[in-house]
Every structure is written in C-alpha cells, then in structure tokens.
Amino acid sequence: NAGVTQTPKFQVLKTGQSMTLQCAQDMNHNSMYWYRQDPGMGLRLIYYSASEGTTDKGEVPNGYNVSRLNKREFSLRLESAAPSQTSVYFCASSAQTLLQHFGDGTRLSIL
Amino acid sequence: AQSVTQPDIHITVSEGASLELRCNYSYGATPYLFWYVQSPGQGLQLLLKYFSGDTLVQGIKGFEAEFKRSQSSFNLRKPSVHWSDAAEYFCAVGATGGYNKLIFGAGTRLAVHP
C-alpha cells in the first residue's frame, strides 16, 4: 500500500519563485492536512481539508495556498517563496478519526 | 489553549538501557494522546495512541506509554533500547470540535550509544 505519497522529495528554489507540492492518498480518507516541520518546533498545521471541496487555515497559513483537487489529492502552493519557508513539509490524511497517516515529507530549501 | 510540552530536546542512552521520554499536555477535555516516531529522512510513524480505557497502552516496537490524568502526562517507555530506536519522537494531543486537529510537541531526539 502506498498510503500517502508526496512529490517531490527534495526541492531548491530561489526567493520569489513559485512551486506546488503534491500529495495523494489511496486510503479513501476524507481529511487531509499540510504541516511544516522546523527544528525545535515540532509540526505546525498550515492548512487542512476536512472533506472534499473544503479547505481551511491552520496555525501558520501565511504565504501558502492549497487546493483539494479531489478526494485523493491535496496540493500546497507557494506563490512567492521566501527563505523563511525553508522547511520540511508533511502531508497527512485521516478518516473520521484523529488517526493521521503521514507521507515521507518534502524537503524544501529557499535561497 | 491546547499545548504539548516535551521537556527533553535530546536524550542519549546506551543500548540495552531503559528509556522514558516525557510528555505533558494542556487540554480542557479528555485528551486523545499519541506518540509518533520519525527516523531520519522519513515521515512520522504512529507508535501508540490513547483514546480511553486502560491508562497503560502498548504500541509497536516494544514501546508503551502511561496516561496520568492527575499529572497531565503521557510518558513513553521502553525497557531495553535498541540501536535502531535512534530517532526523533513526537508526542501529540488530538482535539475534536470543528475538525480533527493534532497538536504536536517540539520533539525529543534520541541517540543510542553502542
């Protein structure tokens, strides 16, 4: 089982460039999430989608946009990348419960 | 506001020694509690969870955790650590209402000496 798949795994951008991080899950989960992980700060929620067709802001949404393309896919877009957005990004999904399943992450560096 | 505190940023233990990782939470209602492990370059894997019932929960890889409501704690334990346990460990509390939200602690990085 693939579970939650994130692409790309690594990316280097220049300040001001745009990029979309892709996430797909094959578990028929309703809810999907995007987190960022920074040293000493754990995981912080950027955006979430409780169900297909809905998206909402999390704790740190500034500088990001999301699209819930269908039930399987939830993308995260950086319109104008900034060095402060250098981080590891994780996508997760869950059914009706709190039990979230995580992808392997995208390591993003912005120069 | 809900929060999770993991007081130890780094812990080093010898292989075969026992391990306890601390986690304290702040949450007004009955908490749903989780421990995740992250190996280098990997995503987060669920070790164990507490929703209700027996306060001592067993997880994968020989880990267990005990929920103590009076201390607002959910400490992770393992009686004998293996070198492969070296990783970062995250405690999380789950909050319902609106959407299913996980609040993570900052993590504890475990190093294991041979």
Side-chain angles (χ1 to χ4, degrees):
Chain A
N1 288 340
V4 178
T5 302
Q6 292 184 234
T7 55
K9 294 189 183 304
F10 303 93
Q11 186 70 48
V12 179
L13 294 178
K14 295 181 180 178
T15 298
Q17 287 185 317
S18 62
M19 158 151 210
T20 299
L21 308 185
Q22 306 287 352
C23 175
Q25 53 93 7
D26 62 3
M27 295 173 282
N28 201 35
H29 285 166
N30 289 321
S31 302
M32 298 185 74
Y33 311 82
W34 275 105
Y35 293 89
R36 60 178 289 172
Q37 181 185 24
D38 302 292
M41 303 189 75
L43 277 75
R44 293 180 292 168
L45 184 66
I46 305 171
Y47 270 92
Y48 68 98
S49 171
S51 60
E52 185 179 359
T54 69
T55 61
D56 284 285
K57 295 178 180 179
E59 182 184 355
V60 288
N62 291 345
Y64 305 96
N65 285 299
V66 290
S67 295
R68 184 74 183 267
L69 304 171
N70 47 56
K71 192 171 187 178
R72 290 187 64 248
E73 298 173 289
F74 188 38
S75 63
L76 178 72
R77 183 161 178 83
L78 287 70
E79 290 291 353
S80 179
S84 62
Q85 294 177 305
T86 293
S87 188
V88 182
Y89 291 85
F90 286 99
C91 178
S93 70
S94 69
Q96 263 68 29
T97 71
L98 286 158
L99 199 56
Q100 294 185 16
H101 300 259
F102 287 82
D104 285 341
T106 294
R107 283 143 188 85
L108 182 61
S109 293
I110 300 163
L111 308 177
Chain B
Q2 304 109 347
S3 65
V4 176
T5 302
Q6 294 180 245
D8 305 304
I9 299 174
H10 295 280
I11 284 183
T12 300
V13 300
S14 297
E15 191 168 19
S18 62
L19 172 69
E20 183 169 31
L21 302 183
R22 296 183 290 165
C23 172
N24 293 98
Y25 66 89
S26 173
Y27 185 62
T30 300
Y32 301 92
L33 296 161
F34 305 81
W35 275 100
Y36 284 87
V37 61
Q38 184 183 28
S39 298
Q42 301 296 313
L44 276 70
Q45 181 183 22
L46 180 69
L47 280 176
L48 47 78
K49 63 186 184 296
Y50 171 79
F51 282 1
S52 65
D54 192 347
T55 57
L56 184 65
V57 293
Q58 303 296 321
I60 61 172
K61 305 185 180 187
F63 285 91
E64 67 178 25
E66 186 171 13
F67 169 55
K68 293 186 177 180
R69 184 186 300 275
S70 62
Q71 299 177 18
S72 298
S73 69
F74 189 56
N75 294 349
L76 182 71
R77 301 193 294 248
K78 186 171 185 178
S80 178
V81 170
H82 188 263
W83 64 267
S84 60
D85 293 324
E88 189 154 21
Y89 293 80
F90 293 94
C91 181
V93 63
T96 58
Y99 69 99
N100 292 330
K101 180 169 82 170
L102 287 180
I103 300 156
F104 287 87
T108 297
R109 185 169 297 278
L110 174 67
V112 180
H113 281 179

